[in-house]
Amino acid sequence: MMMLVAIAAAAFLFSGLAIAYVIGGAAVLAFIATDNARYLAILPQQIFSKIDVFALMAMPLFILAGELMNRGGITGALINLSMALVGRIRGGLGHVNILTSVFFAGISGSAVADAAALSNTLVPEMTKRGYTLTYASAITAASSIIGPIVPPSIILIFYGALMGTSVTALFLAGIVPGLVLAGALLVVNAIYAARENHPRVEKADMPPFLPTLLHSLPALCLPMIILGGIVFGWMTPTEAAAVAVFAALAAGWFYAGLSTTDVLESLRRTAMLSGSIFIIICAASALGHLGSLQRIPDMISDMVMQWGLGPTEYMLAMNVIFLLAGMVLDIPVALALLVPLLAPVALAQGVDPVHLGIVLCFNLCIGLVSPPMGGCLLVVSTVTGVNYWKLARAVIPFVLVQIAVLALLIRIPALSLALPHAFGLGGG
């Protein structure tokens, strides 16, 4: 029977049905196949309990803030500031690309938004100044995954709601890993710049530092308002997300890049993205409820004990599974399907839930730049016109560095836990 369920799920998937309906349909069939059909009557209650979480209210608000910021002319101000800071270094525009991603991460929290914005603005500038289109596209895709790691982050909110973990602690925990990743990518770009003799930005083309900094202040104030308000207890993440929307509107009007049409389009996109994420949560929660009925986490725990896996070994095994899942599944789908099954065993072994959340979310973000389904690769390839598989080959060195940073995070939990502990925030 379960084989028939798997075949039916594959048929749903290859028919072009949306992934949420594939998961939901497979879940209902699996309830019947495992003789748990009697529990379908209470399934709506179980599903609603998964989305009736206050922290999830922050997600559509941060999505809206990111959409407004992406359309509000903020990207140009951040690029100019990055150029004023690092443009004179050899390979300067590569460094600008990465540094802009760091600044943009503190505003949008979305890798795909970052990839789309920089593909439209910075990649043409890089090619005009002597970089190959493939390299400019590859570094844009690679640096875009800083977005969901540095707060505010939509996927960290999702993980926090899923596992009942403090979103504030997760936001603080993402800062150092995001900066470590940015530093690692800067080193890779410096190596390429020396080897390929990438150009510096000419002094005549450099924006003046002080006027550029002053012009960028409204954009730079946004992450400070969001994170500062949360960390110092002035606002909950949901309240900070609402403030971020108003701040994004104000910044967009300041930069004169936000029209009424842009606001309406941002609202439309927010409704679509939020709806798609929530329906995925609903579908995955049905499958997760079946997993708990079948005691799958307990079976995994027993297997781990039989194999003698300690916390480190189990974390490594988990991360291999998540790396593979990230290559073919959207991040919300992978989190909703795998975290309820695999995370409880790690927590039972004493792994800090905040550290676990950062590691798993970082892991899945690598999937955004990994074939065959890398979301950021698809966006950058579409915008720049680079062949998808050529871009996938070019991004491999960056992906290897990202995996090395992931291994460092697993090995040294203090990288993600130092800031939450410094502010007196525990794991739960």
Side-chain angles (χ1 to χ4, degrees), residues 82-96 125-131 189-190 192-207:
S82 301
M83 194 174 292
L85 290 171
V86 296
R88 286 291 292 158
I89 303 171
R90 179 165 295 284
L93 282 181
H95 293 314
V96 167
E125 189 69 20
M126 291 179 72
T127 54
K128 188 170 73 176
R129 294 178 184 272
Y131 294 81
N189 180 64
Y192 269 102
R195 193 178 73 181
E196 306 292 336
N197 197 29
H198 287 163
R200 295 180 172 89
V201 178
E202 295 298 327
K203 188 175 181 180
D205 296 330
M206 290 282 292

Side-chain angles (χ1 to χ4, degrees), residues 19 23 158-159 162 280-281 284 318 321-342 360-361 363-365 367:
I19 189 69
I23 296 169
F158 187 32
Y159 173 88
L162 202 63
I280 286 170
I281 295 172
M318 267 188 79
I321 294 170
F322 271 77
L323 270 175
L324 295 174
M327 292 178 183
V328 294
L329 296 175
D330 288 336
I331 290 179
V333 176
L335 283 173
L337 288 178
L338 297 178
V339 166
L341 298 178
L342 301 178
L360 295 183
C361 291
N363 184 318
L364 290 173
C365 285

Side-chain angles (χ1 to χ4, degrees), residues 76-86 99 103 207 209 212-213 216 220:
L78 296 176
I79 290 174
N80 286 337
L81 177 60
S82 301
M83 194 174 292
L85 290 171
V86 296
L99 199 58
F103 290 142
F209 178 73
T212 302
L213 177 61
S216 303
L220 294 176

Side-chain angles (χ1 to χ4, degrees), residues 90-151:
R90 179 165 295 284
L93 282 181
H95 293 314
V96 167
N97 197 314
I98 296 164
L99 199 58
T100 304
S101 291
V102 175
F103 290 142
F104 204 77
I107 295 174
S108 76
S110 167
V112 173
D114 187 348
L118 295 187
S119 295
N120 271 316
T121 54
L122 198 52
V123 169
E125 189 69 20
M126 291 179 72
T127 54
K128 188 170 73 176
R129 294 178 184 272
Y131 294 81
T132 66
L133 179 59
T134 302
Y135 181 79
S137 302
I139 196 170
T140 300
S143 64
S144 67
I145 75 161
I146 299 170
I149 299 164
V150 173

